[in-house]
Amino acid sequence: MTIQHNKVLQKPETFYDTFVRKGDSELKATHYCPGCGHGILHKLIAEAVSDFGIQDKTVVVSPVGCSVFAYYYFDTGNIQSAHGRGPAVGTGYKRANPDSILISYQGDGDLAAIGANEIIQAANRGEAITVFFVNNAIYGMTGGQMAPTTLIGQKTTTTPYGRNSHSEGFPIRMSEIIATLEAPVYVERCMLTDAKNITKTRKAVRKALKAQIDHKGFSFVEVLSGCPTGWKMTPQEAKNWIDSALSKYFVPGVFKDVIEEREPIIIKSEKPSPEDYHKLMGLSHLSEKEDIVPTPKKNSFHEELKIAGFGGQGLLSLGYVIANVAMGHQYEVSWLPSYGPEMRGGTANCSVKISDKRIGAPLVANPTTLIAMNKPSLEKFVNDVVSGGTIIYDSGLIDTPPSRNDVTVIGLPATEMADKLGSTKAANMIILGIFAYLKKQILSDQYIRRALPRILKNKAFHDINQKAFQTGFDYADKHV
Amino acid sequence: MKKVLMKGNDAVVRGALLAGCQNYFGYPITPASEIAEGSALLFPKVGGTFLQAESEIGAINMLYGAASSGVRCMTASSSPGISLKMEGISYLAGSELPCVIVDITRGGPGLGNIAPEQGDYNQIVKGGGHGNYKLIVLAPNSAQEMCDLTMLAFELADKYRNPTVIMADGTIGQMMEPVEFPQPVTSFPKKDWAVKATAETRENLISSIELDPDRLEVHNQKLQKKYAIIEEKEVRCEEYRSEDAEILLCGFGIVSRLLQSVVDEMRAEGIPVGMIRPITLFPFPKKIIDVYASKKNVRFFNVFELNNGQMVDDVRLAVNGRKPVFYYGRMGGNLPTIKEISGEIMKNMRQS
Amino acid sequence: MSASKGHVIIKASECKGCQLCIEACPVHVLKLAEKLNHMGYKPATYTGEGCTGCGICYYTCPEPGAIIVFKGWDTWSEKAMCPVCQKETKVYHAKNGKDVVLCTECLNPIP
């Protein structure tokens, strides 16, 4: 007769046959102490992974703590992570490889202390991962220090007089916390004591993994587990202490189970061909012919602009347009804003450099042209303008004209003029018209008109931008 | 090819996508936020993932996870955020995971400010995280290089299984310049070491732990050999009007743009000045500096930085006492003016 | 000799003597061995009779491969000559190698 394998309970295939990564001669036994709960949970997980037939696509993230070496045992893909960061590592992995099954295996220090944020956030995003959380109320690997789940009065090497709530606070109940979040689909606390509870844990492990296999989202199983060494007890005493103390504070139970109600989320992303990338990024919307003035670089040209005023006057945009236009004429350009909080109200300015040669420093210290749209800006930069340069300022907003007689000064009430056209926001385009007129030997005004809708894409302003540009251009024709 | 006027930060995002980067994990911070915003906009369009992490620690560890699977992935931040990422960076280096980290540096220490400083040189180039590791560090000085070096960063990261950093100050990130975008990368190296959740890769392990001192030493020696190869093969450096220069200016990032202007101005006055700009901060162009340091006509080196003198240590090590090495720096996010720099050089000319 | 419904093998070389299985066994057929194993533990051992094949000891055991439980032992009929035990023993098919048959007493492969 053929023997049925399910008639034999033996080391699941998801364990390595020999634990060669341990690097010692003990190739069949774990590094865990006698009676340690980790081994029991490992076995339940390995069995479930084998039974579900997901061994090849499973990746286990090992934490820092006693189970740091989980990769010695699980014959799956393995990633060892930094202390507490398993859920973040798992998130990155699963996002990059959504077809995998990702297990984050963590202890109480790892998950509830140093990694408390990572677990909460991964749970809250509903990452499609499964977290197994071994709560043994102590730091095992480092030699028995207090864990965030250490009970009040429990003695550890860092609470030698017993944990005191006035000093160390209270043990943290992670399952309860995670169950309050919207995204997780399954949260249960179990314990590894007697046959009945181990069976419950076995079911919980399988249910949590099944939820991930079915694309239901984030599942979390907390396991109260014995640490005879850390607790300085025999394995039997440890088991009894879970029963009589630990499980009284960390009460086992299902805290959340909405697996059935949740629809599966299957991530299928379209992967366009790289040939289409330029188009997708908006880098190929115009042909070269349309975009470039065909007779460039006839002129030696060097211009340094400082454009300054209130945030919201569109001055960074003005600089952007000028730089774009000059680039269309195949000049070298740079545009540099004053950035950060200044942009959000208050004053704003930008530096634009245009040159027929490679541009060095992008910051304009001594502008050849200053465009000042408010008084503080004019005052700040007026003396920086090079002798023989140009100052364009809004005479409607600035009552005292610049006190320089070695520069060309053009004052016009640009904002008022723009207001008459229908929007004060178009003042910048009036100034553009002025600037274009001044540089008409070098920059084609026809090109500017043609390029404007491409550079400033907001269609609502296309008409008024053209009108304002013309207004400025005409004004300069008459007055300059 | 067509040029697009674009911020350095935006060019980084496009360069990453053209290099085949599929996963972005990050946390907003000025002056690097455009990279997160641009990624949020564009990564989904190419079937990739953008995720705003809960913290820099979250982001760097997500990068660790994604890189473990063999995909090209990146994160970006600015100085204080990079400090927070240091733990993860050490792990990435230890586990030899290829990925790209962009640091748009700002003023420090502490919260400092958002103005352009280069005070991250030591934490990025010299470590920052614990252990005997090196990052490959690229320092662009234009929007074009923000694209090009980002693409190169992915290539080098994969080639050497090493995290690679784009370190640019806030000015380079915020500045707009014309950028020509190359064609997308279509062939990628095989990554047999990656954990791909397949039968073939089931045996693979991504890990930085090795309890046995001998074996950890072997691992470290292997890393050092790799770094030596990188130093041999991957140095990139711009030498500007330096061939006959008697005075060599040295600076990276935005400072090199200022120095370039200074060189042009002083050359116009007949002063034989040239510039050496390290593009790779690791590997540092020591051999190139060494050549200049042994030239008879070279009078001195003058290093300019936006920090308290960090790269100057590497220049001094390369010069090794053969010539004077002067340092001038601004901090707090201030850029020196051209006049200030040339004044400093003139002063040193009188002294040496 | 055995009318037992199940059978349990505890690999002395993998057992750390924590006794969780001994305590958990509902029919009390496990005990500590007298002899220390190579790790210095007194391993658990099967008294030889009365196992029901319930598997509780298997799930209670923290070591991945220390315990093997055979269910329905009384219905197992496949036997072969084991060269190690030098007698006819019950055999089962090993988990990984499809054609590997193991002796259930010494766990060595039978050619």
Side-chain angles (χ1 to χ4, degrees):
Chain A
M1 98 183 231
T2 309
I3 292 166
Q4 298 297 308
H5 277 203
N6 60 12
K7 294 280 183 190
V8 183
L9 290 173
Q10 58 175 323
K11 190 180 192 176
E13 285 178 33
T14 295
F15 280 128
Y16 290 111
D17 185 39
T18 49
F19 306 137
V20 288
R21 282 189 180 136
K22 280 179 76 189
D24 59 23
S25 60
E26 212 55 71
L27 293 174
K28 295 276 190 181
T30 65
H31 72 289
Y32 296 116
C33 308
C36 171
H38 277 299
I40 304 174
L41 183 59
H42 281 19
K43 193 185 279 180
L44 299 178
I45 294 169
E47 184 193 54
V49 168
S50 292
D51 289 353
F52 287 135
I54 53 170
Q55 187 180 1
D56 284 340
K57 59 189 235 176
T58 296
V59 175
V60 177
V61 178
S62 352
V64 170
C66 284
S67 47
V68 62
F69 299 123
Y71 62 83
Y72 286 174
Y73 312 116
F74 290 113
D75 185 0
T76 59
N78 279 290
I79 300 172
Q80 203 294 310
S81 80
H83 200 20
R85 318 299 178 215
V89 172
T91 295
Y93 188 86
K94 187 81 185 203
R95 295 287 181 129
N97 193 357
D99 294 332
S100 60
I101 299 294
L102 194 290
I103 294 171
S104 179
Y105 189 105
Q106 302 182 259
D108 42 37
D110 193 86
L111 183 136
I114 198 166
N117 194 27
E118 281 75 16
I119 186 62
I120 296 279
Q121 303 288 346
N124 192 48
R125 285 189 303 265
E127 296 297 338
I129 65 174
T130 302
V131 176
F132 294 116
F133 167 39
V134 174
N135 178 358
N136 57 16
I138 202 150
Y139 281 57
M141 185 58 121
T142 41
Q145 297 83 9
M146 184 190 73
T149 50
T150 291
L151 295 185
I152 298 298
Q154 187 183 337
K155 286 183 180 171
T156 70
T157 58
T158 50
T159 52
Y161 311 108
R163 180 174 183 164
N164 179 342
S165 66
H166 298 307
S167 168
E168 287 91 38
F170 293 90
I172 190 164
R173 295 185 178 100
M174 290 308 291
S175 287
E176 284 85 336
I177 290 173
I178 286 167
T180 63
L181 303 172
E182 196 60 33
V185 296
Y186 176 57
V187 181
E188 180 166 357
R189 179 185 291 125
C190 312
M191 53 183 187
L192 301 170
T193 48
D194 52 13
K196 200 177 104 199
N197 279 301
I198 290 174
T199 305
K200 270 192 185 172
T201 309
R202 180 172 178 266
K203 278 188 188 153
V205 165
R206 298 169 92 86
K207 193 166 176 178
L209 281 173
K210 187 71 175 27
Q212 186 178 172
I213 292 167
D214 294 341
H215 303 278
K216 292 298 181 87
F218 182 87
S219 50
F220 183 90
V221 178
E222 175 176 349
V223 179
L224 303 182
S225 166
C227 179
T229 305
W231 298 349
K232 300 185 170 53
M233 295 178 189
T234 67
Q236 287 67 38
E237 288 165 350
K239 194 184 77 131
N240 294 340
W241 192 71
I242 297 175
D243 267 332
S244 63
L246 200 59
S247 64
K248 296 292 178 272
Y249 187 89
F250 296 107
V251 180
V254 177
F255 294 93
K256 189 170 186 191
D257 180 1
V258 292
I259 296 173
E260 291 305 317
E261 291 119 78
R262 292 281 170 90
E263 291 298 319
I265 298 168
I266 296 166
I267 297 162
K268 285 262 176 283
S269 58
E270 299 267 320
K271 300 269 179 205
S273 157
E275 280 83 63
D276 297 329
Y277 276 18
H278 277 225
K279 211 171 133 197
L280 288 166
M281 290 182 216
L283 299 178
S284 56
H285 56 291
L286 277 179
S287 71
E288 222 170 84
K289 209 172 147 194
E290 274 177 279
D291 203 35
I292 287 174
V293 178
T295 50
K297 291 202 175 176
K298 280 188 301 195
N299 304 294
S300 155
F301 184 39
H302 189 88
E303 184 73 28
E304 301 197 3
L305 292 105
K306 181 69 91 180
I307 307 173
F310 290 121
Q313 284 180 313
L315 302 174
L316 301 191
S317 297
L318 174 59
Y320 174 65
V321 172
I322 292 172
N324 241 306
V325 164
M327 183 181 73
H329 288 73
Q330 300 205 33
Y331 288 109
E332 299 290 335
V333 299
S334 69
W335 172 96
L336 179 71
S338 60
Y339 59 84
E342 286 179 281
M343 288 166 66
R344 301 165 190 107
T347 61
N349 73 74
C350 67
S351 297
V352 176
K353 284 198 178 183
I354 306 169
S355 179
D356 54 333
K357 296 182 189 71
R358 181 175 152 176
I359 292 171
L363 187 72
V364 171
N366 297 107
T368 53
T369 300
L370 169 66
I371 295 170
M373 296 296 281
N374 68 5
K375 203 174 171 183
S377 298
L378 182 64
E379 284 167 354
K380 187 170 176 187
F381 297 115
V382 63
N383 291 323
D384 295 340
V385 180
V386 297
S387 186
T390 305
I391 297 175
I392 305 170
Y393 76 102
D394 192 320
S395 58
L397 303 177
I398 303 167
D399 47 16
T400 21
S403 53
R404 291 271 305 259
N405 45 25
D406 59 336
V407 298
T408 306
V409 175
I410 303 168
L412 75 163
T415 308
E416 284 167 25
M417 289 162 73
D419 193 30
K420 279 181 196 145
L421 290 177
S423 169
T424 54
K425 279 193 187 316
N428 60 352
M429 291 298 106
I430 292 178
I431 303 291
L432 179 69
I434 305 280
F435 183 74
Y437 183 85
L438 296 176
K439 304 296 168 191
K440 66 182 175 184
Q441 303 303 321
I442 292 156
L443 304 175
S444 151
D445 61 299
Q446 283 314 316
Y447 173 82
I448 299 175
R449 283 177 235 269
R450 204 170 67 237
L452 260 184
R454 170 178 64 78
I455 301 169
L456 298 176
K457 292 194 176 68
N458 190 338
K459 283 198 177 129
F461 291 99
H462 281 179
D463 285 346
I464 198 169
N465 282 348
Q466 293 289 346
K467 254 196 270 176
F469 175 77
Q470 193 59 47
T471 303
F473 200 79
D474 292 345
Y475 182 94
D477 193 24
K478 241 184 252 169
H479 296 92
V480 179
Chain B
M1 192 189 265
K2 204 173 96 60
K3 288 184 177 182
V4 183
L5 187 66
M6 192 173 276
K7 273 192 180 185
N9 281 347
D10 292 322
V12 164
V13 178
R14 272 89 183 158
L17 290 170
L18 292 172
C21 177
Q22 284 282 310
N23 292 75
Y24 181 96
F25 306 96
Y27 188 83
I29 182 168
T30 307
S33 293
E34 290 87 355
I35 301 178
E37 291 163 355
S39 299
L41 191 69
L42 293 180
F43 272 63
K45 288 193 180 180
V46 301
T49 302
F50 166 85
L51 183 60
Q52 182 167 330
E54 63 268 25
S55 67
E56 297 295 358
I57 297 171
I60 197 75
N61 282 284
M62 289 172 192
L63 201 64
Y64 187 96
S68 298
S69 80
V71 299
R72 285 191 166 177
C73 52
M74 76 183 286
T75 186
S77 187
S78 179
S79 312
I82 295 289
S83 300
L84 208 47
K85 285 186 193 291
M86 274 305 163
E87 173 200 55
I89 289 174
S90 171
Y91 277 71
L92 285 162
S95 298
E96 294 190 89
L97 288 174
C99 59
V100 172
I101 300 155
V102 182
D103 180 7
I104 307 298
T105 61
R106 57 184 255 186
L111 204 45
N113 64 18
I114 57 172
E117 226 188 43
Q118 297 179 324
D120 281 19
Y121 185 93
N122 279 349
Q123 79 160 343
I124 292 289
V125 179
K126 303 290 177 180
H130 62 283
N132 312 303
Y133 75 90
K134 289 280 183 192
L135 304 170
I136 300 171
V137 187
L138 308 175
N141 79 347
S142 65
Q144 183 66 54
E145 281 194 356
M146 288 290 260
C147 170
D148 295 347
L149 293 185
T150 299
M151 293 183 76
L152 176 67
F154 280 101
E155 186 189 318
L156 295 177
D158 277 352
K159 187 173 173 186
Y160 295 102
R161 270 191 76 176
N162 208 70
T164 300
V165 177
I166 298 288
M167 186 162 96
D169 54 82
T171 313
I172 302 290
Q174 295 294 325
M175 177 172 66
M176 275 196 187
E177 286 183 313
V179 183
E180 275 185 29
F181 289 94
Q183 287 306 306
V185 175
T186 48
S187 72
F188 302 98
K190 270 172 102 183
K191 296 182 180 176
D192 295 332
W193 50 265
V195 172
K196 297 177 185 173
T198 57
E200 300 75 51
T201 63
R202 202 177 79 204
E203 63 183 337
N204 289 349
L205 165 68
I206 303 298
S207 167
S208 62
I209 185 173
E210 182 51 80
L211 280 194
D212 180 73
D214 290 339
R215 286 202 302 210
L216 185 57
E217 188 168 41
V218 167
H219 176 61
N220 268 293
Q221 283 162 345
K222 188 188 117 195
L223 291 180
Q224 306 318 308
K225 264 184 208 155
K226 175 170 88 175
Y227 303 146
I229 293 169
I230 293 170
E231 289 201 85
E232 191 59 44
K233 293 192 169 168
E234 302 300 345
V235 170
R236 284 159 177 83
C237 179
E238 181 191 354
E239 292 155 81
Y240 184 70
R241 303 181 82 166
S242 56
E243 204 159 300
D244 61 338
E246 293 172 20
I247 296 154
L248 285 156
L249 313 184
C250 195
F252 68 97
I254 189 62
V255 174
S256 67
R257 297 284 293 264
L258 307 177
L259 296 183
Q260 182 199 318
S261 295
V262 170
V263 168
D264 288 344
E265 283 189 13
M266 295 184 86
R267 281 275 181 177
E269 290 163 28
I271 305 168
V273 190
M275 175 183 74
I276 303 170
R277 164 171 80 106
I279 297 172
T280 49
L281 299 180
F282 180 82
F284 194 73
K286 359 184 195 194
K287 282 188 185 163
I288 292 167
I289 292 175
D290 177 79
V291 169
Y292 286 103
S294 52
K295 279 169 92 167
K296 264 194 189 148
N297 63 325
V298 170
R299 287 171 61 191
F300 64 87
F301 290 77
N302 210 338
V303 179
F304 294 86
E305 297 180 72
L306 304 182
N307 56 33
N308 61 343
Q310 300 189 10
M311 185 182 75
V312 66
D313 290 348
D314 284 326
V315 176
R316 286 193 174 122
L317 282 171
V319 171
N320 201 11
R322 284 168 290 178
K323 307 279 173 176
V325 178
F326 297 104
Y327 157 77
Y328 183 79
R330 293 295 303 268
M331 292 175 280
N334 283 312
L335 293 170
T337 62
I338 304 295
K339 253 188 215 160
E340 200 176 336
I341 294 171
S342 44
E344 185 66 23
I345 298 164
M346 298 299 280
K347 187 187 86 190
N348 292 331
M349 281 171 69
R350 289 189 294 273
Q351 276 178 11
S352 67
Chain C
M1 74 176 184
S2 140
S4 304
K5 285 195 284 182
H7 183 65
V8 56
I9 291 174
I10 299 173
K11 297 181 195 169
S13 62
E14 296 179 33
C15 175
K16 292 174 180 164
C18 74
Q19 305 180 50
L20 288 176
C21 60
I22 296 175
E23 194 168 318
C25 176
V27 289
H28 312 294
V29 296
L30 304 178
K31 59 170 188 183
L32 275 191
E34 296 292 317
K35 214 180 131 200
L36 296 172
N37 68 10
H38 74 290
M39 294 186 281
Y41 300 115
K42 282 185 178 170
T45 185
Y46 179 35
T47 55
E49 232 172 309
C51 173
T52 63
C54 71
I56 286 174
C57 59
Y58 167 81
Y59 285 111
T60 314
C61 174
E63 288 300 314
I67 295 184
I68 299 174
V69 172
F70 300 91
K71 297 187 168 204
W73 184 252
D74 49 353
T75 66
W76 282 38
S77 56
E78 195 174 347
K79 287 189 177 183
M81 184 65 196
C82 172
V84 180
C85 301
Q86 298 213 325
K87 62 177 182 180
E88 195 157 81
T89 58
K90 290 188 182 179
V91 298
Y92 76 100
H93 295 261
K95 59 169 189 173
N96 287 320
K98 284 177 189 67
D99 299 324
V100 182
V101 174
L102 298 182
C103 165
T104 58
E105 290 191 16
C106 66
L107 296 172
N108 282 305
I110 294 175

